[in-house]
Amino acid sequence: MRVTFTVNGQTQVADDVWEGESLLFVLRDRCGLPGSKNACEQGECGSCTVYLDGMPVCSCLVAAGQAEGRTVRTIEGLGNGEGLDPVQEAFVEAGAVQCGFCTPGLLVQTHDLLERTVGSGGDVPADPEIREALAGNLCRCTGYEKILDAVRLAATKRAALR
């Protein structure tokens, strides 16, 4: 089957897609976007999180055919083309990136959290809200403290831009 969809603002066409292929496989192997990681293939770790029509999803659980005519935004699409997104900058500044395997999913989830809270005129999220938003993302390298620091930093930066 052929799947035509928009990825990071660009029309993408994937031919000869097998009906059981995941969106993650198509993004990584057919579209050349390796940012989203393939870790558990069960939607448990969050490493493959992308936006699908503006909602974060585990791309390993989405059949590629479900993306037909839809819009996908990956970790590669968070920046504005000239630089990193403020969330990405905050993760670097806070030292929240270690092996990097969980980082793409954490960045997308953090970006979504801040869009829903700070971006809509709300307050900087409190730690319990941050923890809940990131609960579906597993990191095996850290104790999560630097990740929480990065989310707080990104939220503060974003609030300052209002």
Side-chain angles (χ1 to χ4, degrees):
M1 104 178 95
R2 171 179 274 186
V3 179
T4 304
F5 57 116
T6 303
V7 181
N8 301 330
Q10 302 286 319
T11 300
Q12 294 279 344
V13 177
D15 286 320
D16 299 322
V17 174
W18 171 64
E19 62 189 30
E21 265 180 54
S22 69
L23 175 59
L24 175 62
F25 181 85
V26 169
L27 290 170
R28 289 179 57 80
D29 292 9
R30 295 179 181 267
C31 297
L33 297 168
S36 303
K37 302 301 182 208
N38 184 5
C40 73
E41 294 183 352
Q42 297 176 355
E44 296 290 330
C45 71
S47 294
C48 66
T49 304
V50 300
Y51 283 111
L52 180 61
D53 290 338
M55 296 295 297
V57 299
C58 289
S59 59
C60 71
L61 297 179
V62 177
Q66 291 178 288
E68 176 64 37
R70 299 175 77 183
T71 301
V72 175
R73 188 173 181 195
T74 68
I75 185 67
E76 290 93 345
L78 284 190
N80 62 12
E82 296 178 20
L84 297 175
D85 181 86
V87 170
Q88 293 168 312
E89 290 175 357
F91 268 68
V92 171
E93 289 175 32
V97 178
Q98 287 193 16
C99 82
F101 216 76
C102 66
T103 306
L106 285 165
L107 288 169
V108 172
Q109 284 295 109
T110 299
H111 186 271
D112 180 64
L113 170 65
L114 299 184
E115 283 287 311
R116 290 183 289 108
T117 56
V118 180
S120 62
D123 293 330
V124 170
D127 280 3
E129 190 175 3
I130 294 169
R131 288 178 188 277
E132 184 173 333
L134 300 182
N137 295 81
L138 301 178
C139 176
R140 291 180 174 94
C141 297
T142 72
Y144 294 94
E145 200 54 46
K146 294 283 187 186
I147 293 167
L148 293 172
D149 291 344
V151 176
R152 289 185 211 108
L153 177 60
T156 302
K157 286 181 173 210
R158 184 151 190 177
L161 296 175
R162 285 195 263 164

